[in-house]
């Protein structure tokens, strides 16, 4: 079928925009990873769920590849397609309803979390889990997981959804929940757009207090940091725990005969509690028994400033060129007991300048708070630690960096970790099977059921 015929076929069935302009196709050909580019033949901006359904039915009839793209903060081409149809979900961006009594919000999948948070401000309600970057969509994080610094209490964003409307890969519109079409509800969350498109979600909300107080604790020892963070999670002393590894550069030394920069690593732990101004937290109680190296700072801020606390960091990232560089982020969720040996091994010779202004995530959480099958966490763990190397790499160094990051990924998997799939993923078939473990046959069966022609987001999961 010629390009003209193909586009006119889509235009016949879709009421939203159907674009073939070169600049629009180019605009959606990349993602935050900046390593993979795939240019679609046509971009569909659906005006409704029905548009998504019609697009997928047509794609099936003509055997054309399709990808679903939202804000494209993923990093290995997860949302891209070469010469196929790209469904740009940002056009489905309406907050449909908020039920303040039931504490639920129903949104189209292209709604950006920041807009929902802003919309809910007058009601003093917010989603229980927010990602660090609020500039991503509900559909985008529901297709990966959506982790936040309250995940140790509430799980991932996918665990806080009670109902979803989806369009399967063959174009069927289905509404799923724990009780109705439960198989769709089980399978579509954290599915990377492999089974179909999420068009609408009903999300749990919670009431928050107006202010937050954050204690900036600094640790100089990983084991002590881990003991204290586990204690804080178990006690739920704070509502939010945020941490990372911070380098104190020590100069150059010989590593395997090569001169290399090295660092002494420290571990900032920011522990935050919500409060009402009439009833501020008791500072002595908040730090009782903790064994930090230093209490660096304490800060109060309105809760919405807290939700947006990383925006200034993103501004800095943009200024220093980090944002425009390549981002092969390697994020992995480690079993608790494997975390220290793994992190020690990875960090001992890690040259801090290799991050290019980025950082090393350290994310204590619980292994028991998520119940979404497609979101893999190390099984049987009461506690887990998310660890992430988040570099911004100039293009000329990317080929040097990739094998090292893949080695760190493989080592984590060998120690029982599960990768977070929005980042830099270069799995072969065996690694995909290992990642999903016992669930793999079911994942394959779902793919066969919902996208039998394997038209969706192809080239990412290696099925055979
Ligand atoms: C600076 C930064 C900070 C981040 N912080 C966090 C964090 O704190 N926690 C966290 O969990 N993640 C974090 N991420 C990762 C980010 O949340 C995920 O990559 C998320 O999937 C991005 O959403 P998006 O709207 O950009 O989706 P996209 O990247 O466009 O899509 C993600 C995947 O979902 C699919 N998809 C998108 N929309 C739909 C839909 N409606 N239906 C079906 N499939 C769909 C795509 O095909 C793709 O496979 C961060 C990323 C960046 C760049």
């Amino acid at each position: 079928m010629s390009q003209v015929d193909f586009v006119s076929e889509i235009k016949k069935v879709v009421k939203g925009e159907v674009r073939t302009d070169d600049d629009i196709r180019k605009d959606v050909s990349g993602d935050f990873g900046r390593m993979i580019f795939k240019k679609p033949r046509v971009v569909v901006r659906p005006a409704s769920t029905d548009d998504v359904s019609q697009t997928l039915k047509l794609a099936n009839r003509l055997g054309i590849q399709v990808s679903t793209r939202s804000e494209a903060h993923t990093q290995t081409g997860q949302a891209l397609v070469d010469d196929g149809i790209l469904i740009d979900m940002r056009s489905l961006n309406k907050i449909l309803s908020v039920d303040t009594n039931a504490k639920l919000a129903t949104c189209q999948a292209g709604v950006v979390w920041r807009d929902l948070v802003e919309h809910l401000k007058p009601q003093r309600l917010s989603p229980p889990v927010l990602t660090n970057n609020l500039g991503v969509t509900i559909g985008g994080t529901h297709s990966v997981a959506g982790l936040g610094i309250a995940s140790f209490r509430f799980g991932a964003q996918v665990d806080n959804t009670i109902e979803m409307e989806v369009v399967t890969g063959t174009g069927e519109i289905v509404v799923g929940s724990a009780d109705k079409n439960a198989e769709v509800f089980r399978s579509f969350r954290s599915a990377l757009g492999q089974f179909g498109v999420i068009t609408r979600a009903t999300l749990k909300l919670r009431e928050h207090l107006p202010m937050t107080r954050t204690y900036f604790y600094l640790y100089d020892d990983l084991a002590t940091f881990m003991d204290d963070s586990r204690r804080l999670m178990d006690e739920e002393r704070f509502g939010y725990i945020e941490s990372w590894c911070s380098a104190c550069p020590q100069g150059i030394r010989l590593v395997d005969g090569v001169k290399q920069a090295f660092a002494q690593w420290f571990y900032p732990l920011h522990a935050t509690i919500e409060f009402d101004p009439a009833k501020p937290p008791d500072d002595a109680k908040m730090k009782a028994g903790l064994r930090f190296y230093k209490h660096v700072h304490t800060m109060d801020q309105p809760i919405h400033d807290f939700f947006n606390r990383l925006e200034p960091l993103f501004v800095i990232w943009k200024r220093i060129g980090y944002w425009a560089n390549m981002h092969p982020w390697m994020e992995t969720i480690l079993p608790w007991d494997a975390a220290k040996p793994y992190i020690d091994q990875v960090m001992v010779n890690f040259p801090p300048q290799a991050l290019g202004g980025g950082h090393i995530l350290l994310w204590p959480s619980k292994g028991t708070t998520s119940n979404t099958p497609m979101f893999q966490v190390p099984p049987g763990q009461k506690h887990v630690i998310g660890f992430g190397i988040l570099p911004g790499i100039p293009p000329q160094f990317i080929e040097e960096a990739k094998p090292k990051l893949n080695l760190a990924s493989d080592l984590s998997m060998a120690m029982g970790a599960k990768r977070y799939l929005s980042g830099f993923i270069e799995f072969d078939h065996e690694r995909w099977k290992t990642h999903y473990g016992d669930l793999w046959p079911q994942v394959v069966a779902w793919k066969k059921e919902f996208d039998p022609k394997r038209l969706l987001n192809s080239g990412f999961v290696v099925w055979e």
Side-chain angles (χ1 to χ4, degrees), residues 15-266:
K15 295 194 177 71
E17 282 184 68
V18 177
R19 304 299 295 258
T20 51
D21 333 23
D22 196 55
D23 55 338
I24 286 177
R25 286 159 53 224
K26 206 168 151 211
D27 254 12
V28 294
S29 65
D31 59 23
F32 185 74
R34 319 228 189 285
M35 295 174 288
I36 291 182
F37 296 89
K38 294 182 179 178
K39 203 164 160 191
R41 205 188 310 182
V42 58
V43 177
V44 173
R45 293 173 175 161
S48 64
T49 300
D50 194 52
D51 275 0
V52 176
S53 163
Q54 294 298 337
T55 304
L56 289 172
K57 282 182 180 161
L58 186 77
N60 270 270
R61 186 154 61 77
L62 303 178
I64 292 168
Q65 301 284 323
V66 182
S67 77
T68 312
R69 185 184 190 275
S70 293
E71 290 288 340
H73 277 62
T74 31
Q75 294 136 42
T76 327
Q78 285 91 330
L80 309 179
V81 65
D82 244 335
D83 202 33
I85 304 171
L86 185 141
I87 304 179
D88 185 341
M89 288 300 288
R90 291 174 297 182
S91 56
L92 291 182
N93 60 359
K94 287 193 192 70
I95 297 167
L96 300 169
S97 66
V98 175
D99 181 337
T100 49
N101 291 325
K103 296 199 187 74
L104 294 172
T106 299
C107 302
Q108 288 185 319
V111 167
V112 169
W113 287 96
R114 184 185 296 114
D115 295 340
L116 177 62
V117 167
E118 207 49 38
H119 185 85
L120 295 169
K121 217 170 176 177
Q123 282 95 19
R124 287 195 175 184
L125 294 171
S126 53
V129 181
L130 290 170
T131 50
N132 284 350
N133 177 3
L134 298 182
V136 290
T137 65
I138 290 171
T141 60
H142 274 66
S143 300
V144 179
L147 295 175
I149 58 173
S151 284
F152 75 91
R153 288 193 299 156
F154 302 117
Q157 288 177 332
V158 280
D159 298 302
N160 290 280
T161 293
I162 62 156
E163 186 182 274
M164 292 196 322
E165 177 192 74
V166 307
V167 183
T168 67
T170 50
E172 195 191 342
I173 301 171
V174 186
V175 175
S177 67
D179 314 315
K180 188 172 60 179
N181 298 315
E183 196 68 357
V184 161
F185 191 63
R186 268 168 63 77
S187 56
F188 270 64
R189 287 170 299 147
S190 299
L192 300 157
Q194 289 291 332
F195 305 147
V197 179
I198 301 165
T199 46
R200 196 184 71 210
T202 298
L203 315 172
K204 289 186 199 166
L205 305 174
R206 62 178 280 275
E207 235 168 279
H208 56 242
L209 297 176
M211 289 294 293
T212 60
R213 177 165 296 176
T214 301
Y215 299 88
F216 293 52
Y217 301 135
L218 183 65
Y219 288 78
D220 58 358
D221 175 68
L222 182 58
T224 314
F225 161 86
M226 285 180 65
D227 281 351
D228 277 6
S229 60
R230 183 169 51 187
R231 172 178 181 168
L232 293 180
M233 288 192 285
D234 288 347
E235 290 175 0
E236 294 205 7
R237 194 187 296 191
F238 294 96
Y240 308 88
I241 297 175
E242 181 164 32
S243 52
W244 63 99
C245 306
S246 184
C248 178
Q250 298 296 307
I252 310 280
R253 70 178 173 193
L254 273 178
V255 176
D256 297 330
V258 178
K259 284 191 173 166
Q260 192 172 292
F262 76 110
Q264 173 68 43
W265 292 91
F266 288 83

